[in-house]
Amino acid sequence: MHDVSKLNGVRNAVDSIKLRLVQEMQEFDPRKTTRDGWRRAALSLSVAAIAVTLGHATGLLDGPDNVNADQAPVDPAQLKIAEAPRLDVALTEAKTPVLDRYAALTQDYMGEVAGLRVERVDIQPGDTLGRVLGRFNVSTDQSAAAISALKAIWDPRHLRVGQEITLYLETSPIRKVSANSADTPDLVGLTLKPSVEKTVAVSKDHEGAFQAREIVMELQREVVKAAGTINNSLYADANNAGATDRVIANFARVYSYSVDFQREIRQGDDFEIMFERFNDADGNLIKTGEILYASLEVRGDLKELYRFDDGEGIDYYDADGISTKRFLMKTPINGARLSSHFGRRRHPVLGYTKMHEGTDFAAPRGTPIYAAGDGVLDTAYRSSSYGNYIRINHSGGWQSAYAHMQRFASGMKKGVRVSQGDVIGYVGTTGRSTGPHLHYEVLKNGTPQNPLGVDVPTGKELEGKPLELFKVERERLDTLYAESRDASEIKAPLVASASGAE
């Protein structure tokens, strides 16, 4: 049997709070009340909200599925109102059957009574943090103060389309409603994740000033390997061997200078990839890192790559210390299908035979297109035939051109300098085109060349001390590969996107 006198005592306390609330509101006059009066009224209403909700939760007040004290026992621990946690936390995180019935009240109920709410926003093209806060009527002063605090640890200009921001907003329970102005909430704080392992948070300190802090998940580095034979496709077989999408894409990219994946890869070709994994304390994969070693056997020709820093930069070198990076990439796009070769052909739109001065790669809309080499944009404009078109000037009289793009990457315009591998645009079907693809051209002194067969300068060759250091690193990586775990044997789930370290 429960203690009825205790139940009655708590019920009386709740009723007393409700009565006091009525008295406060009867005496409250928004036309005359001072700032302190507004605060007292808001506090009274908030306290009443807590009392009423806890009254429901403990069964002392009528509510959904409520039973009275004589019909069901009540755990006395639930009656310690003075020790109750914050209401929003209690309603959200409570595990008791009674409070579970009220969890659904958290957002709507608190929004109506106490003015507390959480807003999750995905960044859209053209958004800035200031614009996002403005859409929720956060004052200019608060917005500027929060952004200023954030800049101390992270640059808001690095926001990406699709990135999520969580806003914590509070509005006074006693709202001054004006027909000419929107309700202005108080920004309590905000959080966002620049990367899978890092969270930045902005919140108010005890004096009401915004402070920013960075929360970094502690990750454990592990080196693993994925190896196999291509029977279906490089993607499918490497994925079955334990490589993530990002690792496979990077593998294709480092070989894109010397291998035409559409024409040269055959069933029976072997591959090996040694790469970094970063796991949480439970062994779950959070992200992948760099490829340290790779090999690809193409028609019996073994092509090995070792990651090495020669003091001037990081690159991939073959076993003899020669960089695999070419002056221009053969295929400045990943995962594409060769759909049309260089040479004379019947034009699919015009209907007559003419010279096709480039190579076409069919790919889904939005697929990134990379600069084939270092250079400066000679032009970037919309053409009636080529659609969205970019041409890059490289050294030695070389040029590369890219057509039918859906759109240009941010900042791409005439005179902009780009590095090999920079994203310059995205696959589309603009201009005279029958479907989404990249039309890629290579020119030497203005004369079109076959992008897949042209002889362009190769990468540098290590000599002297750098070569000696490379040989030591090559042996270390060979040993590490022999000792590393097979990625296909690791059963830990992927709990975050395996996107790479930014």
Side-chain angles (χ1 to χ4, degrees):
M1 293 292 291
H2 59 276
D3 190 340
V4 176
S5 63
K6 287 184 178 180
L7 292 175
N8 289 335
V10 174
R11 183 183 290 108
N12 291 338
V14 172
D15 289 342
S16 176
I17 292 174
K18 292 169 64 180
L19 178 60
R20 177 58 182 165
L21 172 65
V22 172
Q23 294 173 343
E24 288 277 359
M25 296 311 296
Q26 287 176 341
E27 298 172 359
F28 178 74
D29 183 348
R31 296 168 300 176
K32 302 177 180 179
T33 305
T34 63
R35 182 185 298 270
D36 288 339
W38 277 89
R39 290 175 177 170
R40 286 197 303 272
L43 179 61
S44 297
L45 186 54
S46 298
V47 171
I50 295 173
V52 170
T53 303
L54 289 178
H56 282 313
T58 54
L60 296 178
L61 298 177
D62 294 333
D65 304 323
N66 191 37
V67 294
N68 63 42
D70 295 325
Q71 290 174 321
V74 176
D75 182 359
Q78 295 183 5
L79 303 180
K80 297 180 181 180
I81 296 178
E83 300 177 8
R86 282 181 47 190
L87 182 58
D88 55 333
V89 176
L91 290 177
T92 302
E93 299 181 354
K95 303 302 181 185
T96 62
V98 174
L99 289 180
D100 278 345
R101 296 203 307 269
Y102 292 85
L105 292 175
T106 305
Q107 191 65 43
D108 294 339
Y109 184 76
M110 293 305 294
E112 291 291 333
V113 177
L116 303 175
R117 74 181 193 271
V118 177
E119 298 285 354
R120 291 179 174 84
V121 185
D122 289 333
I123 296 298
Q124 303 299 317
D127 269 349
T128 63
L129 183 53
R131 288 175 183 171
V132 171
L133 294 174
R135 286 204 294 271
F136 290 92
N137 298 319
V138 174
S139 71
T140 303
D141 289 346
Q142 278 205 332
S143 177
I147 293 173
S148 177
L150 178 61
K151 286 180 178 178
I153 61 172
W154 189 74
D155 190 344
R157 292 177 298 180
H158 293 160
L159 281 174
R160 304 183 305 273
V161 173
Q163 189 170 358
E164 183 181 87
I165 298 179
T166 303
L167 306 179
Y168 302 88
L169 305 170
E170 183 176 20
T171 305
S172 171
I174 308 299
R175 303 186 181 190
K176 295 181 68 176
V177 179
S178 169
N180 299 320
S181 62
D183 191 26
T184 301
D186 182 44
L187 178 64
V188 178
L190 62 88
T191 61
L192 58 90
K193 292 179 69 65
S195 61
V196 292
E197 79 278 12
K198 182 187 299 182
T199 299
V200 293
V202 176
S203 59
K204 289 183 176 180
D205 59 20
H206 65 282
E207 295 180 349
F210 284 107
Q211 301 292 336
R213 66 185 186 280
E214 184 178 79
I215 305 162
V216 180
M217 182 188 303
E218 186 173 341
L219 300 179
Q220 299 171 353
R221 177 181 179 269
E222 179 183 22
V223 175
V224 298
K225 61 188 174 186
T229 299
I230 299 175
N231 295 311
N232 300 298
S233 69
L234 173 62
Y235 173 80
D237 295 314
N239 191 257
N240 289 335
T244 65
D245 290 0
R246 175 181 177 272
V247 169
I248 297 170
N250 284 346
F251 178 82
R253 187 170 180 179
V254 297
Y255 278 105
S256 65
Y257 306 102
S258 56
V259 176
D260 179 357
F261 282 89
Q262 298 301 321
R263 299 193 304 171
E264 298 178 9
I265 299 297
R266 295 288 185 272
Q267 282 188 338
D269 289 342
D270 296 325
F271 65 88
E272 297 174 325
I273 316 172
M274 182 170 68
F275 60 96
E276 299 170 313
R277 283 172 50 108
F278 292 90
N279 309 316
D280 64 14
D282 297 322
N284 299 315
L285 173 60
I286 301 300
K287 68 173 186 176
T288 56
E290 302 294 343
I291 292 176
L292 305 178
Y293 164 80
S295 73
L296 181 63
E297 186 176 9
V298 182
R299 302 183 185 183
D301 180 18
L302 181 62
K303 300 176 182 291
E304 293 183 296
L305 299 179
Y306 296 85
R307 188 173 187 269
F308 178 68
D309 186 350
D310 68 348
E312 296 180 357
I314 297 173
D315 203 349
Y316 288 91
Y317 296 84
D318 66 15
D320 296 320
I322 301 174
S323 172
T324 59
K325 182 178 291 186
R326 292 161 57 92
F327 180 69
L328 295 176
M329 300 166 68
K330 277 190 175 183
T331 54
I333 184 173
N334 287 333
R337 174 178 59 86
L338 179 62
S339 58
S340 185
H341 292 271
F342 177 88
R344 294 186 65 81
R345 65 164 187 176
R346 185 177 178 84
H347 196 282
V349 176
L350 300 177
Y352 57 82
T353 300
K354 67 188 297 285
M355 184 65 182
H356 186 230
E357 298 181 343
T359 302
D360 291 349
F361 297 97
R365 284 182 175 86
T367 301
I369 299 168
Y370 307 111
D374 299 345
V376 176
L377 265 67
D378 176 58
T379 188
Y381 70 102
R382 176 118 182 183
S383 162
S384 60
S385 56
Y386 279 145
N388 289 323
Y389 175 84
I390 282 179
R391 186 170 61 242
I392 301 175
N393 288 336
H394 309 285
S395 61
W398 292 93
Q399 291 180 311
S400 61
Y402 316 77
H404 306 302
M405 289 188 283
Q406 181 186 58
R407 61 184 176 90
F408 303 137
S410 177
M412 292 298 109
K413 60 183 179 180
K414 183 176 181 178
V416 169
R417 180 171 294 279
V418 293
S419 298
Q420 189 175 62
D422 285 351
V423 175
I424 59 172
Y426 303 89
V427 169
T429 184
T430 56
R432 196 177 295 154
S433 168
T434 59
H437 72 284
L438 166 67
H439 173 78
Y440 172 53
E441 296 181 359
V442 172
L443 303 95
K444 172 66 172 177
N445 296 324
T447 303
Q449 309 287 319
N450 182 352
L452 299 181
V454 65
D455 185 18
V456 297
T458 57
K460 67 181 179 181
E461 183 174 351
L462 297 175
E463 297 177 343
K465 184 65 173 179
L467 179 59
E468 294 302 316
L469 293 174
F470 168 76
K471 291 179 179 179
V472 173
E473 177 66 1
R474 183 188 64 193
E475 292 182 8
R476 187 187 76 84
L477 292 176
D478 285 340
T479 301
L480 186 60
Y481 182 87
E483 297 175 348
S484 61
R485 281 206 298 168
D486 193 326
S488 64
E489 299 175 357
I490 303 173
K491 304 303 181 183
L494 173 65
V495 298
S497 170
S499 59
E502 286 78 2

